[in-house]
Amino acid sequence: MKLQVMLAEFIGTFALIFVGVGAIAADWVVRQGAGSPNLVGIALAHGLTLSVMISALGAISGGQFNPAVSLGLLVGGKLNPKAAAGCVIAQCLGAIVAAATIKMILPSEVLLQINMGTPGLGEGISIPAGILLEAILTFFLITVVIGTAVDARAPKVGGLFIGLTVALDILIGGPFTGAAMNPARHLGPALMGGGLSQSAIYWAGPLIGGAFAGALYRFAFDEKK
């Protein structure tokens, strides 16, 4: 595993968590806590961050920035186990450092109001339903990752469509699970004050969805050698 690959994964994941949590905090400040969150704005913040960071760093590491993506690529035969493990470590570290940095910069009372921007289950959503929704949303994401950025037959516009997929997934799932689609997106903010009680949901759901997408693409869609 090359250091530059891990550094790229660290930076990309750092950006996603830093902007994602920051956008949720900024939305709360603008609203002063009144009314509903600006779901479209938050979705675009996450999607645009991924689009630009994948475009900037994809040539170095593939622009994964998500343990579920790394697992999907591993299961799909696009990444070896050593590289996948190194990427996941870098992603988790990037998420933790980003959340810690946000905590140092933004007012503590704002972060308290938004629970550090940590994804969580919405009212009336059970744990199994949350896992299933996260799995489905992540399946969409990893399918788009492989189909637009990894497959040699793909058009070279992966960053754009991956970012758009994250945005549309948040528009669907944001009110119900936070639409993390990414264990690192939950891990960093949760460790910095959001709480780890729902961590199993945000590891199980995305990893199941990512693995299924990788396997399906490998055995159903890949060109046969």
Side-chain angles (χ1 to χ4, degrees):
M1 167 59 69
K2 295 181 179 179
L3 180 59
Q4 66 178 11
V5 172
M6 294 187 69
L7 182 58
E9 287 296 302
F10 176 94
I11 293 171
T13 312
F14 179 100
L16 176 63
I17 277 65
F18 188 86
V19 175
V21 174
I24 294 170
D27 172 68
W28 192 91
V29 169
V30 169
R31 293 184 295 108
Q32 288 297 303
S36 301
N38 180 0
L39 186 61
V40 173
I42 292 169
L44 286 175
H46 285 81
L48 289 172
T49 303
L50 273 180
S51 291
V52 298
M53 297 310 295
I54 290 170
S55 297
L57 300 172
I60 299 169
S61 69
Q64 301 164 52
F65 314 147
N66 181 344
V69 172
S70 299
L71 177 62
L73 295 179
L74 174 64
V75 173
K78 309 296 185 182
L79 196 65
N80 66 61
K82 183 178 179 181
C87 287
V88 169
I89 291 170
Q91 293 155 5
C92 290
L93 288 174
I96 294 167
V97 174
T101 305
I102 278 282
K103 193 170 184 177
M104 288 190 294
I105 296 171
L106 299 187
S108 58
E109 58 269 23
V110 173
L111 294 175
L112 181 63
Q113 291 294 331
I114 65 167
N115 196 35
M116 273 299 300
T118 309
L121 294 182
E123 187 71 28
I125 304 298
S126 67
I127 290 176
I131 292 173
L132 180 58
L133 180 55
E134 283 291 317
I136 292 170
L137 297 178
T138 309
F139 171 82
F140 294 157
L141 174 61
I142 277 61
T143 299
V144 173
V145 168
I146 300 175
T148 67
V150 178
D151 194 322
R153 300 165 293 175
K156 303 304 180 184
V157 288
L160 172 62
F161 289 112
I162 293 166
L164 288 174
T165 304
V166 167
L168 70 85
D169 275 358
I170 292 174
L171 291 174
I172 299 167
F176 306 115
T177 65
M181 303 162 280
N182 183 341
R185 175 63 184 84
H186 182 272
L187 176 65
L191 280 175
M192 290 301 115
L196 294 164
S197 63
Q198 296 183 351
S199 293
I201 298 167
Y202 295 97
W203 282 90
L207 292 181
I208 291 169
F212 187 71
L216 181 66
Y217 209 98
R218 180 175 189 173
F219 296 111
F221 301 141
D222 256 354
E223 288 184 306
K224 299 298 184 283
K225 301 294 188 288

